[in-house]
């Protein structure tokens, strides 16, 4: 038995693992290699109040403004107030943040859309990679941490599922992808740090593993979820048939990049006085509007008016990616389109990351803390991972003396299933979900489109459940099952919000409804009808 089972190996999960005492017996699960998650692809950085001209009040105000009346102010304050100490912890861990050229004692801070100050600490334009590789290096040196790469969680084990009156999480069933066998991992405390669900959309900046596993498992275990209709679309993904998941960081616009139509004219000033520095939802919707209005495949992002040396020093990785696909961003505009990027909703938790199920925690993108509201402010996400990773660790430490719930756990039963000879069912359903989510539940929605999507997903959930019951579990089937459930949660949440706010924009209710100010969309598995 482990003291703590951490499902996910990004910034949130690793921060938690490193913040627990060395006497703790910990397992960290990763679907693939440890570094293959959303954290490593994060370009921008971490927002925190690090400059004398900035203030906690200003960072809170910017976050609340971006969140469009749906942030939990206490969660925002808690997160922002812990920002500077989070950066200090990363610096002590050895993260190579970019420094000022003329004063290496000071961090170089950049500014991104929605921020009123320069407050984003970064490691060039590959901040996530720098953080992930540093934390992985530290975790590998800890003898108390078992790293289980190529393992994917199938489902959580709870006392209620075993017939107990209480609902406490006591571990998880896990598929070892190398040997294709399901293991039972028992733990006193289980933490979901599984990332978001943007793979539910056809075009996404996220890696393949972002299939909403933690959110789906938590729902099945009895946890409420909130604000799943608020899926953030990054305005600028490189538009090229082979440029999979290639983001062009927000910081390019923060440093003066302009969005252009094919004729070279700017369009953002027509949509918002902040132009290219408006929050992401406004920029993504403006791009979507112009593409539909003019029948365009893409728009263009131009920073070629800046000196070449400036571009190479600030955006070396973005420059290299663009060059690989035939674009020189120091000489020409590059083609961009919006893509699903961040899940603002998730599993409901308190300031300790504790869910509705006892001994089950959820941190990072899979969680709903109340920080992001109706739209995430740029570079607040890695900050949330660190702050809640730390607070969950502190809460678990306080509970380590509690007696474990000693229940016999049955092994996974595969006696009545067979290997499937119809893998096409999985690939077809996966593709169908991602296409209709993009078409019907994307940047701009209507009630009719949402109802179509709901009807289709409920049919697919029945299909997938039947398949799951009859065939041996594979990682593709696990992800499809989770993806379908999360798609259903997104659709139900979107139908339940008859207004446009932040990332949720519907043509049938184009205005914000003042009566819904401060009210998150909450779905409860105990009371919400669902198709399976």
């Amino acid at each position: 038995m482990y003291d703590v089972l951490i499902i996910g190996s990004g910034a949130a999960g690793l921060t938690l693992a490193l913040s627990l005492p060395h006497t703790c017996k910990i397992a960290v699960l990763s679907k693939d290699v440890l570094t293959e998650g959303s954290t490593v692809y994060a370009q921008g950085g971490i927002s925190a109040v690090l400059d004398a001209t900035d203030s906690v009040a200003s960072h809170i105000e910017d976050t609340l403004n971006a969140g469009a009346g749906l942030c939990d102010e206490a969660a925002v304050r808690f997160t922002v107030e812990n920002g500077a100490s989070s950066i200090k912890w990363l610096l002590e861990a050895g993260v190579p943040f970019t420094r000022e050229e003329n004063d290496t004692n000071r961090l170089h801070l950049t500014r991104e859309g929605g921020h009123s100050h320069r407050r984003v600490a970064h490691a060039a334009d590959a901040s996530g990679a720098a953080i992930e590789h540093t934390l992985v290096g530290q975790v590998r040196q800890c003898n108390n941490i078992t790293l289980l790469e190529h393992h994917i969680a199938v489902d959580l084990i709870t006392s209620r599922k075993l017939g107990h009156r209480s609902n406490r999480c006591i571990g998880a069933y896990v598929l070892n992808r190398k040997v294709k066998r399901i293991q039972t991992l028992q733990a006193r405390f289980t933490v979901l740090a599984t990332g978001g669900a943007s793979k539910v959309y056809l075009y996404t900046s996220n890696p393949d593993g972002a299939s909403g596993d933690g959110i789906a498992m938590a729902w099945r275990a009895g946890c409420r979820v909130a604000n799943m209709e608020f899926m953030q679309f990054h305005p600028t993904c490189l538009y090229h048939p082979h440029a999979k998941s290639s983001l062009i960081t927000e910081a390019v616009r923060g440093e003066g990049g302009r969005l252009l139509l094919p004729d070279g004219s700017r369009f953002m000033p027509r949509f918002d006085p902040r132009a290219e520095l408006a929050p992401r939802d406004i920029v993504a919707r403006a791009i979507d509007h112009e593409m539909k209005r003019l029948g365009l495949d893409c728009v263009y992002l131009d920073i070629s008016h800046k000196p070449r040396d400036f571009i190479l020093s600030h955006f070396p990785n973005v420059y290299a990616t663009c060059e690989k696909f035939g674009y020189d961003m120091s000489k020409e505009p590059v083609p961009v389109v919006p893509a699903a990027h961040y899940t603002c909703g998730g599993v409901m938790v308190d300031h300790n990351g504790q869910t509705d199920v006892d001994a089950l925690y959820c941190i990072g993108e899979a969680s709903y803390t109340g920080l992001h509201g109706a739209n995430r402010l740029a570079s607040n996400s890695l900050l949330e991972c660190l702050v809640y990773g730390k607070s969950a660790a502190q809460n678990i430490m306080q509970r380590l003396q509690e007696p474990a719930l000693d229940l016999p756990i049955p092994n996974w039963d595969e006696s009545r299933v067979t290997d499937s000879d119809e893998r096409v069912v999985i690939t077809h359903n996966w593709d169908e979900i991602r296409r209709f989510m993009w078409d019907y539940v994307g940047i701009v929605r209507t009630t009719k489109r949402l109802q179509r999507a709901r009807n289709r997903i409920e049919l697919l959930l029945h299909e997938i459940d039947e398949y799951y019951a009859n065939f041996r579990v594979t990682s593709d089937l696990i992800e499809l099952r989770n993806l379908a459930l999360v798609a259903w949660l997104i659709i139900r949440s979107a139908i339940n919000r008859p207004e446009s706010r932040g990332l949720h924009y519907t043509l049938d209710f184009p205005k914000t409804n003042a009566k819904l100010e401060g009210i998150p969309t909450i779905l409860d598995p105990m009371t919400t009808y669902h198709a399976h």
Side-chain angles (χ1 to χ4, degrees):
M1 181 192 283
Y2 293 100
D3 290 314
V4 184
L5 170 62
I6 302 170
I7 303 173
S9 60
L14 297 183
T15 296
L16 173 75
L18 291 167
S19 302
L20 289 166
H22 288 294
T23 51
C24 236
K25 188 181 178 188
I26 301 166
V28 176
L29 242 71
S30 180
K31 277 188 186 182
D32 206 299
V33 294
L34 276 188
T35 52
E36 184 52 36
S38 291
T39 295
V40 82
Y41 294 97
Q43 295 173 339
I46 305 179
S47 58
V49 177
L50 301 165
D51 186 86
T53 63
D54 196 4
S55 68
V56 165
S58 174
H59 191 175
I60 289 171
E61 185 181 3
D62 290 347
T63 303
L64 294 174
N65 286 340
L70 274 194
C71 296
D72 179 322
E73 193 163 349
V76 174
R77 181 171 295 281
F78 174 69
T79 308
V80 169
E81 286 179 344
N82 284 285
S85 61
S86 299
I87 299 292
K88 183 171 180 282
W89 182 74
L90 289 177
L91 285 167
E92 288 169 354
V95 174
F97 285 114
T98 300
R99 307 274 179 166
E100 290 283 4
E101 285 181 25
N102 55 0
D103 184 0
T104 54
N105 290 320
R106 292 178 60 202
L107 295 179
H108 178 270
L109 302 176
T110 191
R111 182 181 171 191
E112 296 187 348
H115 288 277
S116 56
H117 287 81
R118 285 182 171 267
R119 65 166 69 99
V120 180
H122 63 102
D125 60 350
S127 307
I131 292 164
E132 180 75 4
H133 291 305
T134 302
L135 297 184
V136 165
Q138 295 232 329
V139 161
R140 289 196 187 280
Q141 294 172 32
C142 297
N143 295 328
N144 63 312
I145 300 176
T146 301
L147 302 175
L148 299 170
E149 295 181 290
H150 305 287
H151 284 68
I152 179 170
V154 181
D155 242 333
L156 298 169
I157 304 166
T158 63
S159 53
R160 184 179 288 166
K161 288 179 184 176
L162 298 177
H164 206 267
R165 275 187 301 179
S166 69
N167 197 21
R168 184 182 177 103
C169 187
I170 51 177
Y173 290 116
V174 173
L175 174 66
N176 181 329
R177 296 176 66 186
K178 287 283 179 74
V179 299
K180 296 182 171 55
R181 282 288 171 265
I182 292 176
Q183 303 162 236
T184 305
L185 297 185
Q186 197 166 354
R188 299 175 64 204
F189 301 95
T190 303
V191 184
L192 297 168
T194 51
S198 288
K199 208 68 188 175
V200 79
Y201 287 99
L202 186 60
Y203 300 110
T204 174
S205 64
N206 284 201
D208 287 342
S211 48
D213 301 336
I215 298 168
M217 285 190 290
W219 175 267
R220 290 194 292 264
C223 295
R224 290 170 300 159
V225 300
N227 280 8
M228 288 300 294
E229 69 270 38
F230 297 109
M231 299 295 290
Q232 188 177 67
F233 289 78
H234 196 289
T236 53
C237 250
L238 182 62
Y239 177 70
H240 188 281
H242 304 301
K244 186 180 177 186
S245 304
S246 295
L247 268 190
I248 297 184
T249 173
E250 192 99 1
V252 172
R253 299 200 311 283
E255 295 293 349
R258 301 166 185 155
L259 285 163
L260 308 177
L261 295 174
D263 64 3
S265 63
R266 288 176 74 192
F267 57 89
M268 276 312 303
R270 285 192 275 114
F271 289 88
D272 193 280
R274 293 164 290 187
E276 281 81 6
L277 288 176
R280 288 178 179 178
D281 61 320
I282 293 169
V283 179
R285 210 155 49 240
I287 294 172
D288 183 70
H289 179 272
E290 292 300 287
M291 286 172 60
K292 285 175 177 165
R293 181 176 73 88
L294 297 170
L296 305 174
D297 291 326
C298 63
V299 295
Y300 295 85
L301 180 61
D302 185 23
I303 197 168
S304 62
H305 50 278
K306 289 279 190 177
R308 178 180 169 82
D309 288 348
F310 175 90
I311 293 169
L312 287 173
S313 64
H314 280 72
F315 310 113
N317 293 288
V318 172
Y319 181 88
T321 299
C322 290
E323 189 177 45
K324 185 170 84 173
F325 294 105
Y327 304 105
D328 184 342
M329 65 186 289
S330 71
K331 294 180 180 175
E332 62 189 334
V334 295
V336 293
V337 288
H341 182 59
Y342 192 86
T343 308
C344 288
V347 182
M348 292 188 75
V349 297
D350 63 14
H351 286 352
N352 299 314
Q354 170 73 51
T355 71
D356 293 332
V357 174
D358 189 23
L360 176 65
Y361 295 75
C362 186
I363 54 177
E365 192 177 349
S367 71
Y368 165 79
T369 62
L371 172 65
H372 304 305
N375 185 18
R376 174 180 70 101
L377 183 65
S379 291
N380 269 356
S381 45
L382 284 172
L383 176 63
E384 183 184 47
C385 289
L386 296 165
V387 170
Y388 282 85
K390 289 259 178 207
S391 66
Q394 287 168 1
N395 190 255
I396 289 169
M397 275 191 278
Q398 291 166 6
R399 299 184 62 188
L400 281 171
Q401 303 310 315
E402 291 179 12
L405 189 60
D406 192 19
L407 283 176
I409 301 175
N411 288 326
W412 187 263
D413 182 10
E414 289 191 326
S415 61
R416 288 169 294 176
V417 297
T418 59
D419 287 315
S420 170
D421 57 356
E422 295 183 346
R423 295 235 355 198
V424 67
V425 174
I426 292 178
T427 54
H428 177 83
N429 285 359
W430 178 280
D431 186 59
E432 184 178 350
I433 290 168
R434 296 179 69 207
R435 284 183 185 279
F436 73 64
M437 287 298 289
W438 183 262
D439 291 339
Y440 297 156
V441 201
I443 296 171
V444 176
R445 301 160 180 178
T446 67
T447 303
K448 187 173 279 188
R449 288 178 202 164
L450 292 174
Q451 288 168 344
R452 280 182 188 149
R454 182 184 61 192
N455 294 340
R456 194 68 203 107
I457 198 65
E458 292 189 347
L459 285 170
L460 282 171
L461 280 167
H462 282 302
E463 246 177 63
I464 293 162
D465 257 11
E466 188 181 338
Y467 192 97
Y468 181 79
N470 289 301
F471 296 113
R472 189 163 278 114
V473 169
T474 64
S475 55
D476 286 347
L477 178 55
I478 293 165
E479 289 185 330
L480 173 65
R481 182 178 180 233
N482 292 334
L483 194 86
L485 176 53
V486 169
W488 180 83
L489 290 169
I490 293 168
I491 295 162
R492 276 301 300 259
S493 299
I495 288 171
N496 285 3
R497 183 166 288 279
E499 65 163 351
S500 289
R501 185 185 294 271
L503 300 166
H504 173 66
Y505 186 80
T506 168
L507 295 175
D508 293 308
F509 302 96
K511 290 188 166 50
T512 300
N513 184 342
K515 291 179 182 174
L516 297 176
E517 187 88 4
I519 301 174
T521 303
I522 298 172
L523 298 179
D524 186 337
M526 300 298 121
T527 58
T528 306
Y529 163 76
H530 59 107
H532 81 143

